[in-house]
Amino acid sequence: MFLDDLNDKQFEAVRATEGHVRVIAGAGSGKTRVLAYRYAYLVNELGIDPANILCITFTNKAASEMRGRIAKLVSSEHVNDYICTIHGFCVIFLRQEIYRLGYPKYFQIIDEEDNKALAKEVLVENCISREEKTAEELLKDFGKWKYPGTYVSNYLLTSSVISEEVRNDLNVQLLLKQHKYLALDFHDLIYFTLFILKTNEDVCKRWQRTMNYVMVDEAQDCNDLEWAVFETLSEFYHNLFIVGDPDQSIYEWRGSRMESFLRFKSDKDIILDRNYRSTSTILDAANSIIANNIIRIKKNLYTLSNPGTIITHFHGKNEQEESDWISKRILKIKADGGEFSDNAILIRASYLSRSIEQSFLRHNISYVVWGGIRFFERREIKDALSYLRLIAFDDDVSFKRIANVPSRKIGKVMMKTLSGIADEYHCSLFAALKFMNDHQSPKKDAVNQFVTLISDLRDLQRTFTVSDLLNYVMKESGLLNCYRDDTEEERLENLNELLNSVKLYEEDHREDEISLESYLQDIALYTNADYSKNKNQVKIMTIHQAKGLEFPNVFISGLSEGVFPNRRSVRERKRKGMEEERRLMYVAVTRAVKSLFLTESEGFSVHGGFNKYPSRFLREIQQNLFVTEGMIDEDVWRNAEAFRHSLDIEINTKTGVGSDKINVGAMVIHDHFGEGVVTKMYNDDQYCEVDFQQIGVRFVSRNKLSLKELMELSDSENSSSLAIPNYLKEIEDRINSL
């Protein structure tokens, strides 16, 4: 049987097909294998139609990998579009259902840069200077304003009757601009999907009955509304299979809700704790670090492999000494038969790469800064895709971007004239340009050629493939000639890579009906990680970028208290921030396969404004697991403890975790008295009567208490211990508001 190569817990997870199942999958424990094999088991053994299985992944790269794995286990016709990201599913859903909101099937998907361009337009139209408000600030406000999703019914469905007073709101103006271009950002994809599901009972039931089985990867990193989508879709059959690791939850700062994973009311919990990636020494280090967190599901990763090499900690007197030690160690690895590409430098923040990069240049070490500029965010790529978008959607954002790429002398005066024509005749800027060109004598050659080109291309898209259309655009628009200069060789290579990616897209979708519109929608979901090149280079990346990756040798650099754990993060989010920092360290350590190196240095942190001392995370590792190189005085350790203590005081001062949510009945933690339950509030709720488990009733200040938001679950406990009385009430309220 094809399941024979699974271990016992993987086998159990694959065969757990019915009900709510939660798999707590430790780092390197084979969660992707479990998801792929479970999909294959449903198809091969149970005979489930793949059209009734939804498999949600966290990234497009993960979806591609998942489809590849599944294709080896089932026949090719059983691999479909329902193996995708949550945004990918929403695009599929909205292509069928968005007409209910008055949008066409092939709507636009716009990214952050396009949104920024629209935000700038709003500010200019309202005579608001950059000193008063930036486009970035408006977009931040816009995101918060959008969050409940009520804007769909309040504004988009009633745009013609919005009062002038409301139209003065900058957020409303930006929303209406998006609506004018029939453009959706990534948040809209989810909001619109939820709105349709919540307001159309027949649609909801049809999709619920279609999705017999819903599987979600990296569920601990999903936000409230993402949870709402797959929970809604699974309501009819109640077959929801979630996989994740709360110890690797590192995106709470951007909205992920680990609590939703921990509070999940499962019928069955399975813990995958056997690691197939790292040595036992590395795993013991990771286990000893993460054990210091309170809010987690207890597990202890183990491996059947040998202990491997001992971990090396290096202490430098300054950043240069630290960086040069890294360089020399990498050169030694290469001299011993390794490759540069075997090594990854993981840092807490991108600014920490500077010293390392300078050292690598001095030592002639080939390296790449991972994710420096995303492929689809590069200027030349945006230009080429804007041509395609102008052809497909006739949108003004794309027109403004490429009207003068290459230069056609369409200046501010002409653009203002075009805007006036567009407003008067309720048409696009390109239509206004075509109108002006048709009635102008003599015609400007460059403008006339541009109008003719776009018009011809709109006719050609009916018969041309997307790749042929792109090739034609790049040649005939003059785009390639813009970058013919020797200094722009990289941009030409990127354009050629874009063309190659389109051809690969067409090859992967040769069984489907491919249109220019569908390609633009799909490609908008991709990131740089999906098209990264595998070169023999040392990789420098932030720990967040390293999530899901592994490397033979890992260097965690900049391990100074206040830098990592990050002082600002801890100050802002208190204990929650500290626990997320520790999870980040856990992720970093578990990227290593064979060797782990931990480095830090003395000196002054310009970014943090403090002297640097070794991170607490070094002290949390069992001392027998690593050796220290470099001269380190005992005073340094004492100062490190004092600095750590000062940060801990900040964590525990006045605003403990969730102190604003503490009320009668809340489970709380006191640093000295331990856990207890609040039985009474008094003195304007500043003081609490608490029944502590160990010592009984005490009267303490509310500021000295932290909310114990979640119960721990050990290997021997079942999921019922995680049941929380007011389960996700906040989420339910938000969804009900739709």
Side-chain angles (χ1 to χ4, degrees):
M1 187 178 178
F2 76 101
L3 303 181
D4 290 345
D5 56 344
L6 300 175
N7 67 37
D8 290 346
K9 290 185 178 179
Q10 290 174 337
F11 184 81
E12 182 185 3
V14 167
R15 288 172 57 87
T17 60
E18 308 305 308
H20 282 194
V21 181
R22 174 173 52 194
V23 177
I24 300 97
S29 63
K31 67 177 180 66
T32 305
R33 169 182 286 237
V34 165
L35 285 161
Y37 273 68
R38 187 177 189 268
Y39 188 106
Y41 181 77
L42 289 170
V43 174
N44 295 343
E45 301 299 321
L46 303 188
I48 303 299
D49 188 340
N52 300 125
I53 305 172
L54 175 61
C55 184
I56 298 292
T57 64
F58 197 62
T59 65
N60 288 296
K61 184 179 179 182
S64 179
E65 182 183 348
M66 187 71 69
R67 283 192 291 269
R69 291 200 181 199
I70 291 172
K72 295 178 181 178
L73 300 171
V74 302
S75 56
S76 59
E77 67 266 18
H78 290 151
V79 182
N80 57 36
D81 290 339
Y82 289 144
I83 305 169
C84 55
T85 65
I86 188 72
H87 294 101
F89 169 77
C90 290
V91 169
I92 295 170
F93 175 88
L94 292 173
R95 281 177 182 166
Q96 298 184 43
E97 311 293 348
I98 200 170
Y99 72 89
R100 302 172 189 276
L101 302 180
Y103 282 74
K105 176 181 180 180
Y106 291 117
F107 49 89
Q108 283 197 78
I109 301 174
I110 58 175
D111 61 14
E112 188 174 350
E113 187 176 332
D114 295 327
N115 258 338
K116 190 181 294 184
L118 294 178
K120 287 179 180 177
E121 285 185 20
V122 170
L123 295 174
V124 170
E125 290 168 0
N126 287 272
C127 301
I128 297 174
S129 67
R130 183 173 176 81
E131 287 71 28
E132 296 176 84
K133 198 179 195 69
T134 65
E136 291 82 1
E137 291 170 338
L138 175 56
L139 286 177
K140 188 176 181 180
D141 294 341
F142 188 54
K144 293 177 180 177
W145 179 82
K146 268 188 168 185
Y147 184 72
T150 53
Y151 69 91
V152 181
S153 58
N154 291 348
Y155 300 104
L156 294 186
L157 300 182
T158 58
S159 59
S160 60
V161 293
I162 298 175
S163 67
E164 285 302 315
E165 183 180 354
V166 174
R167 286 180 183 271
N168 290 331
D169 187 293
L170 297 180
N171 293 313
V172 175
Q173 290 183 40
L174 182 51
L175 179 70
L176 294 179
K177 273 192 180 292
Q178 288 185 341
H179 186 48
K180 175 185 176 183
Y181 303 135
L182 302 174
L184 278 65
D185 59 31
F186 275 51
H187 299 299
D188 293 329
L189 295 176
I190 296 179
Y191 292 137
F192 281 31
T193 297
L194 273 175
F195 182 86
I196 293 172
L197 287 172
K198 292 295 180 180
T199 57
N200 292 268
E201 186 177 353
D202 291 343
V203 174
C204 188
K205 286 182 177 179
R206 172 159 49 82
W207 280 90
Q208 286 176 340
R209 291 173 180 173
T210 298
M211 299 305 162
N212 293 187
Y213 295 90
V214 179
M215 302 192 294
V216 183
D217 190 16
E218 302 285 7
Q220 82 282 345
D221 289 328
C222 295
N223 62 35
D224 293 349
L225 295 172
E226 290 166 346
W227 274 92
V229 171
F230 52 73
E231 285 185 326
T232 299
L233 290 171
S234 62
E235 278 179 4
F236 186 81
Y237 292 101
H238 300 289
N239 291 328
L240 179 56
F241 183 86
I242 65 170
V243 181
D245 183 8
D247 288 340
Q248 297 185 74
S249 177
I250 59 175
Y251 297 112
E252 287 193 5
W253 54 275
R254 70 181 191 193
S256 71
R257 290 294 295 269
M258 179 183 71
E259 291 92 338
S260 299
F261 184 92
L262 293 170
R263 290 171 171 166
F264 182 70
K265 294 180 179 179
S266 61
D267 302 308
K268 188 181 193 63
D269 282 318
I270 301 166
I271 297 178
L272 304 182
D273 50 7
R274 180 180 173 184
N275 178 282
Y276 291 88
R277 175 186 299 157
S278 308
T279 66
S280 61
T281 299
I282 292 170
L283 294 181
D284 288 345
N287 289 329
S288 65
I289 292 168
I290 202 63
N292 291 275
N293 272 5
I294 297 172
I295 304 175
R296 62 186 297 259
I297 295 174
K298 287 184 178 178
K299 66 179 184 305
N300 209 55
L301 292 181
Y302 74 94
T303 181
L304 300 181
S305 66
N306 59 55
T309 58
I310 197 166
I311 298 166
T312 302
H313 161 229
F314 177 77
H315 175 82
K317 293 298 181 182
N318 51 58
E319 285 186 3
Q320 182 174 327
E321 189 175 305
E322 179 186 357
S323 299
D324 286 344
W325 185 89
I326 294 172
S327 294
K328 291 171 184 176
R329 185 52 67 112
I330 288 174
L331 290 172
K332 186 178 185 305
I333 291 171
K334 193 166 190 308
D336 292 340
E339 298 289 344
F340 284 147
S341 57
D342 294 337
N343 304 281
I345 316 298
L346 306 187
I347 50 180
R348 177 62 181 83
S350 55
Y351 74 85
L352 294 167
S353 74
R354 178 196 55 81
S355 179
I356 299 169
E357 289 187 63
Q358 288 181 333
S359 181
F360 282 1
L361 290 169
R362 288 195 301 271
H363 291 87
N364 294 316
I365 295 173
S366 180
Y367 73 93
V368 59
V369 178
W370 200 260
I373 299 177
R374 295 179 179 179
F375 183 82
F376 287 100
E377 292 176 354
R378 292 172 182 169
R379 188 180 80 196
E380 62 276 15
I381 304 301
K382 293 282 291 184
D383 289 343
L385 292 178
S386 290
Y387 271 97
L388 296 184
R389 284 173 43 178
L390 181 61
I391 296 165
F393 301 115
D394 197 20
D395 72 294
D396 291 354
V397 176
S398 295
F399 175 85
K400 289 177 181 178
R401 182 178 185 91
I402 51 90
N404 278 305
V405 182
S407 176
R408 299 182 179 94
K409 298 182 178 179
I410 301 175
K412 291 183 179 180
V413 175
M414 183 180 288
M415 196 65 75
K416 188 176 181 179
T417 302
L418 293 176
S419 295
I421 296 172
D423 288 341
E424 182 179 353
Y425 292 96
H426 304 288
C427 64
S428 68
L429 290 175
F430 177 77
L433 181 66
K434 189 175 186 301
F435 176 86
M436 179 186 288
N437 185 64
D438 289 343
H439 294 81
Q440 190 176 50
S441 183
K443 297 179 180 180
K444 292 184 178 180
D445 288 344
V447 172
N448 188 54
Q449 290 170 7
F450 178 58
V451 170
T452 303
L453 173 68
I454 301 302
S455 301
D456 289 347
L457 286 167
R458 286 176 177 171
D459 292 330
L460 290 172
Q461 70 169 310
R462 301 187 183 95
T463 54
F464 272 31
T465 64
V466 178
S467 59
D468 288 338
L469 202 64
L470 176 61
N471 192 38
Y472 190 93
V473 164
M474 291 194 305
K475 290 180 179 177
E476 299 302 322
S477 67
L479 197 58
L480 288 178
N481 290 330
C482 288
Y483 305 118
R484 290 289 183 201
D485 192 280
D486 290 339
T487 60
E488 303 287 358
E489 184 65 30
E490 185 179 348
R491 298 191 186 276
L492 286 174
E493 292 176 355
N494 291 335
L495 286 171
N496 288 327
E497 180 58 25
L498 175 64
L499 183 60
N500 184 55
S501 73
V502 175
K503 292 177 180 177
L504 290 173
Y505 174 89
E506 290 170 337
E507 187 176 328
D508 290 341
H509 294 78
R510 57 181 179 273
E511 302 294 331
D512 303 329
E513 182 181 342
I514 301 173
S515 66
L516 178 59
E517 293 88 350
S518 63
Y519 165 76
L520 290 170
Q521 285 181 340
D522 289 342
I523 212 65
L525 304 174
Y526 280 76
T527 65
N528 182 58
D530 300 304
Y531 288 92
S532 58
K533 296 179 180 179
N534 185 21
K535 295 180 179 179
N536 187 24
Q537 298 173 311
V538 179
K539 297 172 181 66
I540 304 174
M541 65 183 71
T542 65
I543 302 168
H544 286 95
Q545 293 169 327
K547 178 77 183 297
L549 305 176
E550 63 180 56
F551 309 93
N553 313 307
V554 167
F555 296 76
I556 305 176
S557 179
L559 271 169
S560 300
E561 191 73 14
V563 177
F564 192 21
N566 181 270
R567 191 178 192 180
R568 187 177 66 179
S569 176
V570 174
R571 278 177 166 175
E572 290 176 352
R573 302 181 59 236
K574 305 297 180 181
R575 289 187 182 174
K576 272 194 169 184
M578 180 59 77
E579 293 217 347
E580 182 157 340
E581 289 294 301
R582 189 171 283 110
R583 293 195 297 271
L584 197 59
M585 179 65 179
Y586 178 81
V587 167
V589 170
T590 54
R591 299 311 94 195
V593 176
K594 296 191 304 181
S595 301
L596 178 64
F597 306 92
L598 312 172
T599 72
E600 45 79 29
S601 58
E602 298 174 29
F604 186 78
S605 173
V606 177
H607 291 267
F610 49 77
N611 291 319
K612 296 192 298 179
Y613 302 105
S615 169
R616 71 183 65 202
F617 298 148
L618 292 166
R619 286 288 189 153
E620 291 175 356
I621 300 173
Q622 299 171 34
Q623 296 302 295
N624 65 309
L625 297 176
F626 69 92
V627 294
T628 296
E629 295 185 11
M631 295 295 294
I632 181 168
D633 300 328
E634 191 59 36
D635 286 348
V636 172
W637 285 117
R638 283 196 294 269
N639 291 333
E641 287 300 306
F643 188 86
R644 180 192 63 77
H645 183 66
S646 69
L647 192 57
D648 287 345
I649 291 174
E650 291 184 48
I651 295 174
N652 294 309
T653 299
K654 294 187 178 181
T655 54
V657 176
S659 64
D660 59 325
K661 300 179 182 177
I662 291 175
N663 48 38
V664 175
M667 295 191 66
V668 294
I669 301 172
H670 187 279
D671 285 349
H672 184 70
F673 301 136
E675 298 176 12
V677 178
V678 178
T679 54
K680 187 178 179 180
M681 307 284 292
Y682 61 98
N683 195 11
D684 294 328
D685 293 342
Q686 294 305 303
Y687 286 86
C688 307
E689 178 187 275
V690 184
D691 187 358
F692 291 103
Q693 294 178 6
Q694 301 297 323
I695 62 168
V697 175
R698 293 290 189 275
F699 301 91
V700 297
S701 168
R702 177 178 181 165
N703 293 333
K704 297 296 183 182
L705 300 172
S706 298
L707 187 69
K708 183 173 175 60
E709 297 188 83
L710 302 158
M711 301 294 291
E712 294 182 0
L713 177 69
S714 67
D715 295 288
S716 61
E717 294 173 325
N718 60 45
S719 61
S720 63
S721 65
L722 282 173
I724 307 294
N726 297 316
Y727 172 66
L728 297 181
K729 187 175 184 306
E730 183 183 348
I731 297 175
E732 291 169 359
D733 290 344
R734 285 172 181 159
I735 299 305
N736 290 335
S737 71
L738 293 177

